Amino acid sequence: MTNQSNTDIAQNSPQRAAVLGLSVSAVVLAALVLVQATGLLSSPAHASAAVSSEGYSAATVAAGSSVEVLMVIDDRTETLYIYGERSARQIDLLERQSLPELFSTARAAALGD
C-alpha cells in the first residue's frame, strides 16, 4: 500500500505543479487587471501628440511646468529640429542638431572619451 500511495503522489506531482502554476498566473493576471482598472500605476504621457509621415516624425514634449516644445526629425537629412514659443503668438526654431553628430557625441561621452 505504501508503494501504491508513493506512486500516486509521484504521478500527481506534475499535475499539482501545473495547477499551482496556473493558479499563481491567474492571481497575478487578476492583480494586474485590478491595478490597470483602478489606475493606481498610471502616469500621464508627456507627449501631447506624435506623428510620423513621409520622412518626418514630430512630437510635442513638455519641457517644463508650462512649456511645450515641438520636436521634428527629418529622416532625409537626419536632422532634429526643436521649436518652442518665444511669445504667445510666435514659434521659433530653438535648436537644430545633426542626429549622427548628436549620437557620436553621446556615444563618446558614455565611453568617457
Side-chain angles (χ1 to χ4, degrees), residues 44-50 59-62 68:
H46 293 289
S48 299
T60 56
V61 180
E68 283 194 0

Side-chain angles (χ1 to χ4, degrees), residues 21-112:
L22 289 173
S23 298
V24 169
S25 296
V27 169
V28 169
L29 285 174
L32 288 173
V33 167
L34 182 63
V35 167
Q36 184 67 27
T38 59
L40 291 175
L41 299 179
S42 65
S43 62
H46 293 289
S48 299
V51 295
S52 182
S53 178
E54 298 183 25
Y56 291 95
S57 300
T60 56
V61 180
S65 60
S66 64
V67 178
E68 283 194 0
V69 295
L70 171 64
M71 302 179 87
V72 178
I73 295 176
D74 182 348
D75 294 341
R76 295 176 194 129
T77 63
E78 296 182 330
T79 305
L80 169 67
Y81 299 94
I82 302 173
Y83 297 91
E85 285 184 311
R86 293 282 185 199
S87 65
R89 294 185 174 259
Q90 186 177 356
I91 296 175
D92 289 334
L93 177 64
L94 302 176
E95 187 76 33
R96 185 179 81 196
Q97 290 283 325
S98 165
L99 289 175
E101 289 177 19
L102 187 64
F103 281 103
S104 293
T105 303
R107 189 176 300 113
L111 296 174

